[in-house]
Amino acid sequence: MRVRVATTALGITAALLALPACSPDTTGNKHKTPSAARAKKPSHGVQETAALSSAALASRLLDPSDLGNGYLPKPERPAQHDDVTVIGCPALSELGGDAATGGTLAFPHKAKADFTYGNSSSEISEELYSDSAKKLSDGIDRIFDAMTACPTYQVVAGGTPIDVTSQKLPTPHAGGDEQWSQLLTFVAGGRSTVVKQTAIRDGSLLLVVSGSPALVDRHLDKALDKATATS
């Protein structure tokens, strides 16, 4: 089954073609976790918090001074509109064009920052979204479930075939109300790129950190602390 889309869920494929090859940086996280590696705290009458504006979200993003020496902002890439074909993943196809393009993450309030590390191929990206807790939870849960439903599939972006392997990961113990985590391996033209992606919802705020696995692990707690700071 195929579905023609403008880009893939969470913008992963749109960015991966610009990533240099990198080797896997994992520690053998092979065991399965329930519900698309989703962890959820029980709610006991927690009040809904107001959504944050995009400007407020931008002020809560990590910056080079938070990350430390060697990190540089990555220049924003021009928007790409090449069609992308997803092959061999009915779960992604069944989402339909809007959801498969990340439409369920098209929340009205959002901010993003991308960084490179030193002269290496390592990169890290942080995205912040704000909306009602239910909309955030339903949107990200649907995308992660679909992306991890197929262990292997193929994406053709701008005529370039990309083999994708997805793996659910144990959710981190970094706080928040809900958590999701996955590992994606992209192989294109003999290059292998490994991307770890972890999402944490805290009230009306959703944090998504993606990139080289070691950098995601290193900065996830810091990103969550800054994103959820109330002062």
Side-chain angles (χ1 to χ4, degrees):
M1 181 180 288
R2 301 184 178 209
V3 57
R4 301 292 296 183
V5 297
T7 181
T8 56
L10 303 184
I12 287 291
T13 300
L16 74 91
L17 291 176
L19 290 176
C22 61
S23 59
D25 188 4
T26 62
T27 54
N29 292 311
K30 299 294 185 182
H31 54 287
K32 296 285 191 295
T33 55
S35 185
R38 176 187 183 186
K40 182 176 181 179
K41 291 181 179 178
S43 59
H44 301 287
V46 177
Q47 283 190 327
E48 182 76 23
T49 55
L52 297 169
S53 68
S54 296
L57 291 175
S59 70
R60 299 182 181 214
L61 290 168
L62 294 176
D63 57 40
S65 65
D66 298 315
L67 295 170
N69 294 331
Y71 289 89
L72 296 173
K74 183 180 177 182
E76 185 175 355
R77 301 176 68 242
Q80 292 185 339
H81 303 288
D82 292 337
D83 280 348
V84 172
T85 303
V86 180
I87 305 171
C89 187
L92 278 177
S93 299
E94 288 169 6
L95 284 178
D98 180 63
T101 61
T104 53
L105 288 184
F107 302 114
H109 310 294
K110 54 192 172 183
K112 183 178 181 180
D114 298 289
F115 302 93
T116 59
Y117 179 57
N119 296 320
S120 70
S121 60
S122 299
E123 299 185 0
I124 186 169
S125 172
E126 180 187 9
E127 298 166 77
L128 290 176
Y129 301 91
S130 190
D131 208 324
S132 72
K134 177 172 172 49
K135 288 181 180 179
L136 292 175
S137 180
D138 289 349
I140 192 69
D141 195 45
R142 194 173 179 215
I143 293 295
F144 265 77
D145 277 349
M147 293 182 75
T148 57
C150 306
T152 60
Y153 55 96
Q154 189 177 71
V155 171
V156 180
T160 301
I162 304 162
D163 294 321
V164 185
T165 301
S166 66
Q167 177 188 334
K168 300 175 186 179
L169 294 179
T171 54
H173 301 286
D177 298 314
E178 293 181 281
Q179 303 175 355
W180 300 258
S181 194
Q182 65 179 336
L183 192 73
L184 300 168
T185 302
F186 305 97
V187 179
R191 300 187 313 164
S192 177
T193 300
V194 180
V195 175
K196 183 173 183 178
Q197 186 169 63
T198 296
I200 300 175
R201 184 188 65 79
D202 188 277
S204 61
L205 184 144
L206 177 68
L207 165 71
V208 182
V209 180
S210 310
S212 303
L215 298 188
V216 173
D217 292 342
R218 184 182 305 167
H219 297 294
L220 181 64
D221 287 352
K222 190 181 300 181
L224 182 63
D225 287 344
K226 185 171 184 178
T228 58
T230 57
S231 58

